[in-house]
Amino acid sequence: MAEHTDAVIEIKDVSKLFGPVAAVDGVSFGIIRGEFFSLLGPSGCGKTTLLRMLAGFEQPSRGEILIDGQPMAGVPANKRPTNMVFQSYAIFPHLNVEENVGYGLRNRKLGKGETRSRVAAALDLVKLSGYGKRAAHQLSGGQRQRVALARALVCRPKVLLLDEPLGALDKKLREEMQLELRQLQRNVGITFVFVTHDQEEALTLSDRIAVMSSGKVLQIARSDDLYENPNCREVAEFIGNMNLFEGKVAAVGQGNVTIATPAGTFTVPHTAPIGAGSVVHLAVRPEKLALSADKPATGLNAVKGRIIAQTYLGDRRQFLTQIDGMAKPLAISRQISGAEAQISTNTDIWVAWPPQLGRLLTS
Amino acid sequence: MLFLYGPILLAPLFSVNDSIFATFPLKGFTLRHYAEMANNTGLLKALRNSLIVAASSSLIATAVSVPAAIALTRYKLRGSGLIMTAMSAPLVIPSIIFGVALLIIILRFLDLELTLWTIGASHVFISIPFAMTVLMSRLEGFDKSLEEASRDLGEGAWMTFLRVTLPLAMSGIVSSLLLCFVTSFDEFVLAFFLSGTETTLPVYLFGQLRFPNKLPGMLALGTTILMFSALIVILAEILRRRGVQSNSPGAV
């Protein structure tokens, strides 16, 4: 791919075996210089193992990793142009903030003055100026996180690796730090590789996201693309909420196909060749669905159901609608503007969506 | 508690009694026995021997145990359970059997003379379990990613040991030294079996007890040792408990 010509990291068919178990299984992709890249997946999907192979704490069992064009096989962690922010932050408890931040500068042959000014600049960058003499145990969780960031950034790595760095913070602080982290990455222009299991966090922060599961990369895409165009059921269900109709291709049209499901027959855009009769899934997001008491106009996909529950979520309301022939109720999310009609539970209702908002998933 | 500490408290009590007999009623208060102690050359020599043996055996036992403890806590070694059991053997083997066995080995097989070195070597063996216990509990207590962070920040294995592992283990090392020192300093059976012409304080003390008139002096000596030992053990425990927050003086 053309965009990979400026890849700062190239991962080529990398596997990592722990005994008979493949923690990472034949993964290949590139990370572009200067981007905020996230590895997203449930725990145990191999994302942390992959990150540790980039850092040099684990060696790939197979395959090759190149950082800045250099093969990393046999290069130990201390010789790599990467620095890491650990999940536990790993702040040295016997050193103060300044000594922690300056730790990696010792063998860089910098003058005392240069070291001091770089430490000060790094502390400034993470908004901890004046905290230099604090002992490690006097810091709050958020401050420890900032020290860990400053300590890594002061070494001016080509790539900054972050292992779920926001996981230990409470929700409010986490959201603040997300914003700051994004800002920081734009300011310093260093490539960030960010590991998280929190899909919302990944969507907020990243330029691109790799969704991983069972050691494999399922999809790599920009946040909006990942949300709007998942390439398989697993990604569709992992990123946000998704309604799925299982069915068979009934007819192949021009740029769309018609599929027959137990809930009815629906049309969905699709261009690639597909055989009639193939088992597929139609996926549609809860916020794309509209509710109406009357039968919707023709041209829309529509299905009749019964509201079985509704949940108030502040900015929106979520309805669960039971459809005949479907095991799982449909989720419909509706913005609350104050003008819409009340819908009471246990009433029959039409659920409809324009065909172009659905997605066909073949795997 | 009375049974445990009562007899121990009698030693200081009779050591300041102005009489050569350790009986009630007490006569008068005196520090005479303590003063005599300071002029007793045999005793001072034994004390010096004891200090040399205790200092060197605690240093060697700790120096050997630091890498062993790191290996056992940092790497999942095969047979680490066996190693730990083997190392703790001196705790459960009666020291009299250990002493006889060592005596046979040293005299028959190694053909060495009995010196302070032989005592010291045996004390290294019995000190290692104590050193290992203290050091391992300290090393298990801190986050493995601290060492990884050091590697990540550009330091090799040796500098990581010097800049992170050692400073963080320092309180454990000091408390191991103190504990081994006390173990050696108080040890009698092995020293008794393995001493040649030179002997350590406990053995000297035992020898002197044959002379009744020496008893109060020995009680004075015992009291002094008791107080030093207690002080050192307390110090070791305080250091061990200071934990990760300690701003270790060993920091680079």
Side-chain angles (χ1 to χ4, degrees):
Chain A
M1 277 182 278
E3 59 178 2
H4 282 192
T5 49
D6 197 25
V8 67
I9 293 181
E10 289 164 78
I11 298 167
K12 294 178 175 172
D13 195 27
V14 164
S15 296
K16 177 66 184 179
L17 306 169
F18 291 114
V21 185
V24 174
D25 192 0
V27 167
S28 297
F29 61 90
I31 296 173
I32 303 162
R33 198 179 304 277
E35 78 174 329
F36 197 123
F37 191 92
S38 290
L39 294 169
L40 173 65
S43 52
C45 72
K47 56 194 193 298
T48 296
T49 307
L50 189 57
L51 193 78
R52 289 174 61 82
M53 285 195 280
L54 296 179
F57 297 130
E58 308 281 357
Q59 296 300 320
S61 309
R62 270 199 304 278
E64 192 182 24
I65 292 172
L66 281 84
I67 299 180
D68 211 24
Q70 301 296 312
M72 284 294 122
V75 179
N78 50 329
K79 303 273 188 237
R80 293 193 179 196
T82 58
N83 284 107
M84 183 138 159
V85 175
F86 289 80
Q87 190 168 17
S88 63
Y89 309 144
I91 304 296
F92 301 121
H94 58 298
L95 303 178
N96 68 23
V97 169
E98 229 167 50
E99 291 164 333
N100 260 289
V101 175
Y103 190 94
L105 296 179
R106 189 195 62 92
N107 48 15
R108 301 216 169 189
K109 302 200 168 57
L110 300 173
K112 267 218 168 113
E114 168 80 3
T115 302
R116 203 172 303 130
S117 69
R118 269 174 76 167
V119 168
L123 284 175
D124 199 40
L125 195 65
V126 297
K127 300 179 185 160
L128 276 184
S129 310
Y131 283 80
K133 299 296 179 203
R134 290 276 177 101
H137 65 89
Q138 291 173 306
L139 301 172
S140 68
Q143 289 167 342
R144 296 171 83 81
Q145 210 254 339
R146 287 161 197 264
V147 172
L149 264 172
R151 185 176 69 180
L153 286 172
V154 82
C155 300
R156 296 178 187 166
K158 295 218 165 76
V159 180
L160 185 72
L161 309 170
L162 303 104
D163 186 8
E164 306 216 15
L166 307 179
L169 306 179
D170 60 64
K171 191 173 188 299
K172 186 118 178 108
L173 190 57
R174 191 160 69 229
E175 281 166 4
E176 262 176 53
M177 281 311 294
Q178 282 175 4
L179 225 74
E180 264 185 51
L181 209 55
R182 189 74 185 111
Q183 207 64 49
L184 187 68
Q185 195 267 339
R186 291 214 174 105
N187 290 342
V188 296
I190 292 174
T191 312
F192 278 30
V193 181
F194 186 90
V195 158
T196 182
H197 64 267
D198 183 336
Q199 43 105 1
E200 229 170 287
E201 192 166 279
L203 291 176
T204 313
L205 286 171
S206 322
D207 293 316
R208 289 196 307 154
I209 300 170
V211 183
M212 291 186 70
S213 172
S214 315
K216 291 189 191 301
V217 172
L218 299 174
Q219 186 173 9
I220 300 179
R222 284 175 28 186
S223 301
D224 49 356
D225 208 23
L226 201 61
Y227 188 81
E228 296 295 341
N229 301 307
N231 67 355
C232 64
R233 273 174 69 194
E234 226 178 321
V235 172
E237 289 185 302
F238 190 68
I239 310 284
N241 290 322
M242 186 65 99
N243 294 304
L244 291 171
F245 297 87
E246 188 174 348
K248 281 184 179 156
V249 175
V252 180
Q254 196 74 298
N256 61 54
V257 296
T258 305
I259 68 167
T261 78
T265 302
F266 308 115
T267 311
V268 57
H270 190 72
T271 48
I274 189 164
S278 321
V279 177
V280 292
H281 284 83
L282 167 63
V284 59
R285 295 279 182 200
E287 68 274 13
K288 311 276 201 250
L289 299 174
L291 294 168
S292 60
D294 307 321
K295 190 170 176 14
T298 48
L300 295 179
N301 288 320
V303 59
K304 198 161 190 196
R306 192 178 179 80
I307 306 270
I308 54 167
Q310 47 183 303
T311 318
Y312 175 71
L313 296 167
D315 56 339
R316 66 210 145 84
R317 189 179 283 276
Q318 174 129 325
F319 298 92
L320 288 181
T321 309
Q322 186 65 53
I323 312 286
D324 279 344
M326 281 182 68
K328 261 181 82 179
L330 279 187
I332 298 116
S333 174
R334 193 168 72 165
Q335 288 291 323
I336 295 176
S337 61
E340 68 277 334
Q342 294 285 324
I343 302 172
S344 45
T345 310
N346 291 324
T347 49
D348 288 338
I349 200 96
W350 283 93
V351 181
W353 70 96
Q356 68 272 19
L357 296 185
R359 292 290 175 267
L360 187 75
L361 304 175
T362 51
S363 61
Chain B
M1 286 297 272
L2 189 70
F3 281 110
L4 191 63
Y5 291 110
I8 294 173
L9 289 176
L10 285 179
L13 187 66
F14 287 121
S15 75
V16 292
N17 189 19
D18 194 2
S19 158
I20 60 164
F21 301 110
T23 52
F24 290 106
L26 301 171
K27 291 265 175 62
F29 177 81
T30 178
L31 288 174
R32 171 163 65 89
H33 307 306
Y34 286 88
E36 279 168 8
M37 197 170 69
N39 294 321
N40 185 335
T41 48
L43 183 148
L44 289 178
K45 190 133 186 283
L47 176 66
R48 201 201 55 163
N49 289 344
S50 263
L51 290 177
I52 291 170
V53 168
S56 42
S57 69
S58 60
L59 273 173
I60 294 168
T62 304
V64 169
S65 299
V66 168
I70 289 174
L72 286 176
T73 50
R74 288 292 172 276
Y75 308 101
K76 293 224 162 14
L77 292 179
R78 257 182 226 182
S80 60
L82 191 72
I83 296 172
M84 268 315 284
T85 313
M87 283 202 162
S88 332
L91 286 178
V92 288
I93 296 174
S95 43
I96 194 151
I97 292 172
F98 196 50
V100 170
L102 278 177
L103 190 64
I104 293 169
I105 291 170
I106 289 166
L107 293 181
R108 285 285 164 80
F109 293 101
L110 297 177
D111 204 20
L112 292 172
E113 272 187 55
L114 292 175
T115 61
L116 288 182
W117 290 107
T118 52
I119 302 176
S122 72
H123 285 181
V124 168
F125 280 112
I126 56 162
S127 297
I128 283 176
F130 295 108
M132 287 297 287
T133 311
V134 172
L135 289 170
M136 281 181 70
S137 83
R138 183 73 195 93
L139 285 170
E140 269 160 7
F142 72 81
D143 187 2
K144 196 174 118 227
S145 58
L146 290 172
E147 284 158 340
E148 281 182 351
S150 168
R151 300 296 291 271
D152 187 63
L153 291 166
E155 295 293 15
W158 175 241
M159 283 310 292
T160 294
F161 174 74
L162 285 186
R163 294 185 75 189
V164 176
T165 318
L166 201 59
L168 289 177
M170 196 44 83
S171 63
I173 290 171
V174 173
S175 86
S176 157
L177 282 173
L178 295 176
L179 211 60
C180 295
F181 188 92
V182 174
T183 305
S184 163
F185 198 75
D186 287 348
E187 205 285 326
F188 171 75
V189 179
L190 292 171
F192 183 71
F193 273 91
L194 300 173
S195 57
T197 50
E198 305 253 359
T199 189
T200 61
L201 202 56
V203 179
Y204 172 82
L205 201 147
F206 179 74
Q208 297 299 298
L209 286 178
R210 284 175 293 166
F211 313 110
N213 60 337
K214 296 275 177 68
L215 182 63
M218 292 307 111
L219 288 177
L221 177 62
T223 306
T224 316
I225 294 173
L226 189 70
M227 290 196 318
F228 268 109
S229 297
L231 200 70
I232 287 175
V233 170
I234 290 166
L235 204 63
E237 186 59 18
I238 289 171
L239 277 170
R240 198 181 65 77
R241 287 192 186 180
R242 263 179 43 185
V244 178
Q245 291 103 324
S246 68
N247 226 336
S248 166
V252 179

